Amino acid sequence: MPDGTLSQILNGGKIVQSPNKPNQGHPAGAGKAPQDENRAPGRRHRTAPLDEAARDGTWMTIGKLAKLAEISTDTLRYYEDESLLTPVGKTEAGYRLYGEDAVRRLDFIRHAQHCGMTLSEIRQLLELRAEDNSCCSDVRSLAIRKKLQLEHKIKTMQAMSQALSELIDICTAEDRPLDDCPILAALESSIAKQNHDHTKFGRLP
């Protein structure tokens, strides 16, 4: 029987398809096992876990975190430079990713700033909270020290405010020329007095 032709072989009274040719009534490969439907095409099965987490909302990009916290992305990057905030990782494309604890950390920073804390002092608080041997008295000492600094600054600003009030009181004529402005004259005389005092006390006996 010639090769390349569909041949039928009698076998026990049954017609059997020749094994070297597919059945023309069925497409080639019909007997093959189906592909795994769970296997995604392309590179999807090689996607990094961080990329998957960013897509399903487990972690946030820097833009999403900035929008949620109502601050700029530049501020978030600055906080990272100051060791106040650390991303959980980066995607294959290099995008920063943050968890929900980043939102709580930003709230902590904002509230501490409202109490007058500098970023350096806030970093100290965060370091104290992370140390196992720290206690509440350490945080209280830092808070007391900051309160004393603020009270001193308030007294200084009150003195400045009083000095400005006295200058405003001596300047009652708004149409005076600048050469006769009592505020400028008072400031100049004050500077001259300070220079005189420095010279006087700076002389050797």
Side-chain angles (χ1 to χ4, degrees):
M1 185 173 300
D3 261 347
T5 62
L6 185 62
S7 59
Q8 293 180 343
I9 303 173
L10 289 175
N11 184 12
K14 295 182 180 180
I15 299 177
V16 181
Q17 183 68 35
S18 176
N20 63 344
K21 287 292 181 179
N23 190 343
Q24 291 183 353
H26 300 281
K32 293 180 179 180
Q35 284 187 338
D36 184 1
E37 295 179 356
N38 294 327
R39 182 176 179 179
R43 297 176 54 192
R44 185 175 176 185
H45 63 285
R46 293 192 297 271
T47 302
L50 291 178
D51 292 40
E52 293 287 354
R55 278 198 294 267
D56 63 20
T58 304
W59 290 329
M60 296 172 284
T61 61
I62 190 170
K64 185 175 180 180
L65 177 60
K67 184 176 181 181
L68 188 63
E70 298 181 349
I71 58 178
S72 67
T73 54
D74 289 339
T75 300
L76 291 179
R77 294 187 182 95
Y78 182 68
Y79 285 168
E80 285 187 29
D81 294 338
E82 292 295 315
S83 302
L84 297 173
L85 187 68
T86 304
V88 294
K90 292 184 179 182
T91 64
E92 288 184 342
Y95 293 107
R96 296 172 173 85
L97 294 176
Y98 303 86
E100 292 183 357
D101 59 327
V103 179
R104 294 190 293 270
R105 174 67 63 89
L106 292 173
D107 286 338
F108 181 92
I109 294 172
R110 184 183 297 110
H111 293 156
Q113 286 178 318
H114 287 167
C115 293
M117 297 283 185
T118 64
L119 293 183
S120 177
E121 291 164 340
I122 294 172
R123 188 188 308 110
Q124 293 180 45
L125 289 174
L126 293 173
E127 290 172 353
L128 286 174
R129 188 170 68 174
E131 292 177 359
D132 295 335
N133 58 346
S134 298
C135 59
C136 187
S137 62
D138 298 321
V139 178
R140 188 173 186 273
S141 297
L142 194 152
I144 292 174
R145 185 165 64 248
K146 185 61 184 181
K147 184 177 183 293
L148 294 175
Q149 292 176 358
L150 291 175
E151 289 176 348
H152 175 72
K153 185 179 294 186
I154 290 171
K155 289 179 180 178
T156 302
M157 296 181 70
Q158 287 174 339
M160 292 177 179
S161 178
Q162 180 62 31
L164 285 173
S165 297
E166 294 173 359
L167 292 176
I168 293 170
D169 290 341
I170 64 176
C171 184
T172 56
E174 298 180 359
D175 56 348
R176 285 183 183 180
L178 289 179
D179 292 340
D180 297 333
C181 178
I183 294 178
L184 295 178
L187 292 174
E188 288 176 357
S189 64
S190 176
I191 293 173
K193 183 178 182 301
Q194 289 178 5
N195 290 337
H196 174 73
D197 292 340
H198 290 167
T199 304
K200 179 180 177 181
F201 292 107
R203 291 175 182 172
L204 293 175

mmCIF file of all heavy atoms in Angstrom, residues 27-56:
data_model
loop_
_atom_site.group_PDB
_atom_site.id
_atom_site.type_symbol
_atom_site.label_atom_id
_atom_site.label_comp_id
_atom_site.label_asym_id
_atom_site.label_seq_id
_atom_site.Cartn_x
_atom_site.Cartn_y
_atom_site.Cartn_z
ATOM 1 N N PRO A 27 -9.526 17.500 13.492
ATOM 2 C CA PRO A 27 -8.311 18.314 13.326
ATOM 3 C C PRO A 27 -7.126 17.676 14.014
ATOM 4 O O PRO A 27 -7.264 16.964 14.993
ATOM 5 C CB PRO A 27 -8.680 19.652 13.982
ATOM 6 C CG PRO A 27 -9.754 19.311 14.963
ATOM 7 C CD PRO A 27 -10.528 18.180 14.345
ATOM 8 N N ALA A 28 -5.959 17.997 13.457
ATOM 9 C CA ALA A 28 -4.738 17.459 14.046
ATOM 10 C C ALA A 28 -4.570 17.978 15.455
ATOM 11 O O ALA A 28 -4.841 19.133 15.727
ATOM 12 C CB ALA A 28 -3.524 17.864 13.194
ATOM 13 N N GLY A 29 -4.074 17.092 16.310
ATOM 14 C CA GLY A 29 -3.854 17.503 17.694
ATOM 15 C C GLY A 29 -5.085 17.413 18.551
ATOM 16 O O GLY A 29 -5.081 17.887 19.678
ATOM 17 N N ALA A 30 -6.179 16.815 18.026
ATOM 18 C CA ALA A 30 -7.409 16.763 18.813
ATOM 19 C C ALA A 30 -7.255 15.882 20.023
ATOM 20 O O ALA A 30 -7.943 16.056 21.012
ATOM 21 C CB ALA A 30 -8.559 16.259 17.935
ATOM 22 N N GLY A 31 -6.343 14.912 19.927
ATOM 23 C CA GLY A 31 -6.161 14.010 21.048
ATOM 24 C C GLY A 31 -5.189 14.505 22.096
ATOM 25 O O GLY A 31 -4.951 13.826 23.071
ATOM 26 N N LYS A 32 -4.572 15.712 21.862
ATOM 27 C CA LYS A 32 -3.595 16.205 22.814
ATOM 28 C C LYS A 32 -4.268 16.710 24.072
ATOM 29 O O LYS A 32 -5.394 17.182 24.034
ATOM 30 C CB LYS A 32 -2.771 17.332 22.183
ATOM 31 C CG LYS A 32 -1.881 16.862 21.038
ATOM 32 C CD LYS A 32 -1.094 18.031 20.477
ATOM 33 C CE LYS A 32 -0.185 17.594 19.347
ATOM 34 N NZ LYS A 32 0.579 18.727 18.793
ATOM 35 N N ALA A 33 -3.524 16.657 25.174
ATOM 36 C CA ALA A 33 -4.057 17.164 26.444
ATOM 37 C C ALA A 33 -4.186 18.679 26.372
ATOM 38 O O ALA A 33 -3.311 19.353 25.818
ATOM 39 C CB ALA A 33 -3.121 16.777 27.597
ATOM 40 N N PRO A 34 -5.262 19.247 26.886
ATOM 41 C CA PRO A 34 -5.448 20.706 26.825
ATOM 42 C C PRO A 34 -4.395 21.415 27.670
ATOM 43 O O PRO A 34 -3.890 20.886 28.649
ATOM 44 C CB PRO A 34 -6.853 20.910 27.413
ATOM 45 C CG PRO A 34 -7.077 19.715 28.273
ATOM 46 C CD PRO A 34 -6.352 18.592 27.600
ATOM 47 N N GLN A 35 -4.094 22.680 27.250
ATOM 48 C CA GLN A 35 -3.133 23.471 28.005
ATOM 49 C C GLN A 35 -3.706 23.834 29.367
ATOM 50 O O GLN A 35 -4.907 23.902 29.552
ATOM 51 C CB GLN A 35 -2.805 24.761 27.254
ATOM 52 C CG GLN A 35 -1.875 24.527 26.072
ATOM 53 C CD GLN A 35 -1.453 25.861 25.479
ATOM 54 O OE1 GLN A 35 -2.137 26.850 25.667
ATOM 55 N NE2 GLN A 35 -0.336 25.868 24.778
ATOM 56 N N ASP A 36 -2.813 24.069 30.290
ATOM 57 C CA ASP A 36 -3.215 24.480 31.641
ATOM 58 C C ASP A 36 -3.829 25.862 31.567
ATOM 59 O O ASP A 36 -3.168 26.835 31.206
ATOM 60 C CB ASP A 36 -1.988 24.496 32.558
ATOM 61 C CG ASP A 36 -2.374 24.824 33.987
ATOM 62 O OD1 ASP A 36 -3.580 25.003 34.240
ATOM 63 O OD2 ASP A 36 -1.464 24.902 34.834
ATOM 64 N N GLU A 37 -5.136 25.937 31.846
ATOM 65 C CA GLU A 37 -5.829 27.210 31.731
ATOM 66 C C GLU A 37 -5.345 28.211 32.761
ATOM 67 O O GLU A 37 -5.517 29.410 32.615
ATOM 68 C CB GLU A 37 -7.339 27.004 31.894
ATOM 69 C CG GLU A 37 -7.923 26.165 30.778
ATOM 70 C CD GLU A 37 -9.402 25.969 30.986
ATOM 71 O OE1 GLU A 37 -9.902 26.421 32.030
ATOM 72 O OE2 GLU A 37 -10.046 25.379 30.114
ATOM 73 N N ASN A 38 -4.744 27.744 33.869
ATOM 74 C CA ASN A 38 -4.293 28.648 34.921
ATOM 75 C C ASN A 38 -2.963 29.303 34.587
ATOM 76 O O ASN A 38 -2.547 30.239 35.244
ATOM 77 C CB ASN A 38 -4.141 27.893 36.245
ATOM 78 C CG ASN A 38 -5.489 27.409 36.746
ATOM 79 O OD1 ASN A 38 -6.496 28.069 36.522
ATOM 80 N ND2 ASN A 38 -5.477 26.262 37.394
ATOM 81 N N ARG A 39 -2.313 28.808 33.566
ATOM 82 C CA ARG A 39 -1.028 29.382 33.200
ATOM 83 C C ARG A 39 -1.258 30.571 32.293
ATOM 84 O O ARG A 39 -1.830 30.448 31.225
ATOM 85 C CB ARG A 39 -0.162 28.331 32.516
ATOM 86 C CG ARG A 39 1.219 28.859 32.156
ATOM 87 C CD ARG A 39 2.068 27.766 31.573
ATOM 88 N NE ARG A 39 3.378 28.263 31.198
ATOM 89 C CZ ARG A 39 4.327 27.511 30.682
ATOM 90 N NH1 ARG A 39 4.104 26.215 30.498
ATOM 91 N NH2 ARG A 39 5.490 28.023 30.357
ATOM 92 N N ALA A 40 -0.814 31.726 32.735
ATOM 93 C CA ALA A 40 -1.051 32.951 31.978
ATOM 94 C C ALA A 40 -0.056 33.030 30.836
ATOM 95 O O ALA A 40 1.061 32.541 30.918
ATOM 96 C CB ALA A 40 -0.896 34.175 32.877
ATOM 97 N N PRO A 41 -0.445 33.658 29.722
ATOM 98 C CA PRO A 41 0.449 33.763 28.575
ATOM 99 C C PRO A 41 1.564 34.760 28.844
ATOM 100 O O PRO A 41 1.501 35.582 29.744
ATOM 101 C CB PRO A 41 -0.486 34.255 27.471
ATOM 102 C CG PRO A 41 -1.554 34.997 28.196
ATOM 103 C CD PRO A 41 -1.745 34.278 29.484
ATOM 104 N N GLY A 42 2.595 34.712 27.974
ATOM 105 C CA GLY A 42 3.628 35.725 28.029
ATOM 106 C C GLY A 42 4.477 35.614 29.276
ATOM 107 O O GLY A 42 4.798 34.553 29.762
ATOM 108 N N ARG A 43 4.811 36.850 29.845
ATOM 109 C CA ARG A 43 5.713 36.894 30.986
ATOM 110 C C ARG A 43 4.981 36.933 32.310
ATOM 111 O O ARG A 43 5.583 37.148 33.343
ATOM 112 C CB ARG A 43 6.600 38.141 30.868
ATOM 113 C CG ARG A 43 7.496 38.135 29.670
ATOM 114 C CD ARG A 43 8.259 39.437 29.583
ATOM 115 N NE ARG A 43 8.964 39.702 30.841
ATOM 116 C CZ ARG A 43 9.515 40.854 31.134
ATOM 117 N NH1 ARG A 43 9.419 41.866 30.301
ATOM 118 N NH2 ARG A 43 10.137 41.027 32.301
ATOM 119 N N ARG A 44 3.699 36.785 32.315
ATOM 120 C CA ARG A 44 2.950 36.986 33.537
ATOM 121 C C ARG A 44 3.380 36.055 34.654
ATOM 122 O O ARG A 44 3.442 36.441 35.819
ATOM 123 C CB ARG A 44 1.464 36.809 33.260
ATOM 124 C CG ARG A 44 0.606 37.117 34.475
ATOM 125 C CD ARG A 44 -0.839 37.038 34.122
ATOM 126 N NE ARG A 44 -1.668 37.243 35.296
ATOM 127 C CZ ARG A 44 -2.979 37.141 35.291
ATOM 128 N NH1 ARG A 44 -3.610 36.855 34.176
ATOM 129 N NH2 ARG A 44 -3.669 37.336 36.391
ATOM 130 N N HIS A 45 3.726 34.820 34.303
ATOM 131 C CA HIS A 45 4.111 33.876 35.341
ATOM 132 C C HIS A 45 5.464 34.216 35.940
ATOM 133 O O HIS A 45 5.847 33.664 36.950
ATOM 134 C CB HIS A 45 4.128 32.455 34.779
ATOM 135 C CG HIS A 45 5.138 32.253 33.695
ATOM 136 N ND1 HIS A 45 4.970 32.737 32.418
ATOM 137 C CD2 HIS A 45 6.348 31.617 33.703
ATOM 138 C CE1 HIS A 45 6.008 32.405 31.677
ATOM 139 N NE2 HIS A 45 6.861 31.738 32.430
ATOM 140 N N ARG A 46 6.199 35.166 35.306
ATOM 141 C CA ARG A 46 7.489 35.564 35.845
ATOM 142 C C ARG A 46 7.415 36.898 36.576
ATOM 143 O O ARG A 46 8.436 37.455 36.967
ATOM 144 C CB ARG A 46 8.502 35.656 34.705
ATOM 145 C CG ARG A 46 8.827 34.319 34.065
ATOM 146 C CD ARG A 46 10.033 34.433 33.158
ATOM 147 N NE ARG A 46 9.805 35.334 32.044
ATOM 148 C CZ ARG A 46 9.304 34.971 30.882
ATOM 149 N NH1 ARG A 46 8.960 33.717 30.690
ATOM 150 N NH2 ARG A 46 9.156 35.837 29.915
ATOM 151 N N THR A 47 6.234 37.467 36.765
ATOM 152 C CA THR A 47 6.095 38.757 37.425
ATOM 153 C C THR A 47 6.508 38.655 38.890
ATOM 154 O O THR A 47 6.183 37.709 39.580
ATOM 155 C CB THR A 47 4.641 39.243 37.356
ATOM 156 O OG1 THR A 47 4.259 39.317 35.988
ATOM 157 C CG2 THR A 47 4.495 40.632 37.993
ATOM 158 N N ALA A 48 7.228 39.681 39.355
ATOM 159 C CA ALA A 48 7.710 39.691 40.739
ATOM 160 C C ALA A 48 6.534 39.829 41.697
ATOM 161 O O ALA A 48 5.538 40.463 41.380
ATOM 162 C CB ALA A 48 8.693 40.843 40.939
ATOM 163 N N PRO A 49 6.656 39.271 42.913
ATOM 164 C CA PRO A 49 5.577 39.372 43.904
ATOM 165 C C PRO A 49 5.244 40.823 44.256
ATOM 166 O O PRO A 49 4.101 41.145 44.528
ATOM 167 C CB PRO A 49 6.141 38.615 45.111
ATOM 168 C CG PRO A 49 7.167 37.696 44.551
ATOM 169 C CD PRO A 49 7.752 38.405 43.379
ATOM 170 N N LEU A 50 6.251 41.717 44.269
ATOM 171 C CA LEU A 50 5.983 43.122 44.591
ATOM 172 C C LEU A 50 5.090 43.764 43.538
ATOM 173 O O LEU A 50 4.242 44.593 43.855
ATOM 174 C CB LEU A 50 7.302 43.893 44.709
ATOM 175 C CG LEU A 50 8.180 43.540 45.913
ATOM 176 C CD1 LEU A 50 9.473 44.331 45.869
ATOM 177 C CD2 LEU A 50 7.441 43.824 47.214
ATOM 178 N N ASP A 51 5.291 43.405 42.287
ATOM 179 C CA ASP A 51 4.434 43.949 41.233
ATOM 180 C C ASP A 51 2.993 43.491 41.425
ATOM 181 O O ASP A 51 2.050 44.261 41.249
ATOM 182 C CB ASP A 51 4.943 43.511 39.858
ATOM 183 C CG ASP A 51 6.278 44.162 39.514
ATOM 184 O OD1 ASP A 51 7.121 44.264 40.422
ATOM 185 O OD2 ASP A 51 6.457 44.562 38.361
ATOM 186 N N GLU A 52 2.825 42.204 41.786
ATOM 187 C CA GLU A 52 1.490 41.680 42.019
ATOM 188 C C GLU A 52 0.832 42.397 43.195
ATOM 189 O O GLU A 52 -0.342 42.749 43.171
ATOM 190 C CB GLU A 52 1.562 40.170 42.295
ATOM 191 C CG GLU A 52 1.994 39.342 41.103
ATOM 192 C CD GLU A 52 0.921 39.232 40.052
ATOM 193 O OE1 GLU A 52 -0.209 39.704 40.305
ATOM 194 O OE2 GLU A 52 1.195 38.689 38.968
ATOM 195 N N ALA A 53 1.614 42.634 44.261
ATOM 196 C CA ALA A 53 1.078 43.307 45.442
ATOM 197 C C ALA A 53 0.661 44.729 45.126
ATOM 198 O O ALA A 53 -0.330 45.234 45.654
ATOM 199 C CB ALA A 53 2.122 43.300 46.567
ATOM 200 N N ALA A 54 1.407 45.395 44.262
ATOM 201 C CA ALA A 54 1.052 46.764 43.877
ATOM 202 C C ALA A 54 -0.242 46.784 43.088
ATOM 203 O O ALA A 54 -1.060 47.702 43.231
ATOM 204 C CB ALA A 54 2.182 47.384 43.060
ATOM 205 N N ARG A 55 -0.458 45.743 42.269
ATOM 206 C CA ARG A 55 -1.676 45.719 41.450
ATOM 207 C C ARG A 55 -2.911 45.368 42.265
ATOM 208 O O ARG A 55 -3.988 45.908 42.037
ATOM 209 C CB ARG A 55 -1.497 44.728 40.294
ATOM 210 C CG ARG A 55 -0.737 45.290 39.110
ATOM 211 C CD ARG A 55 -0.969 44.461 37.872
ATOM 212 N NE ARG A 55 -0.406 43.122 38.023
ATOM 213 C CZ ARG A 55 0.817 42.800 37.634
ATOM 214 N NH1 ARG A 55 1.603 43.703 37.119
ATOM 215 N NH2 ARG A 55 1.264 41.571 37.778
ATOM 216 N N ASP A 56 -2.762 44.464 43.216
ATOM 217 C CA ASP A 56 -3.955 44.062 43.963
ATOM 218 C C ASP A 56 -4.235 44.955 45.167
ATOM 219 O O ASP A 56 -5.168 44.715 45.920
ATOM 220 C CB ASP A 56 -3.861 42.592 44.406
ATOM 221 C CG ASP A 56 -2.704 42.349 45.378
ATOM 222 O OD1 ASP A 56 -2.222 43.310 45.990
ATOM 223 O OD2 ASP A 56 -2.300 41.185 45.508
#
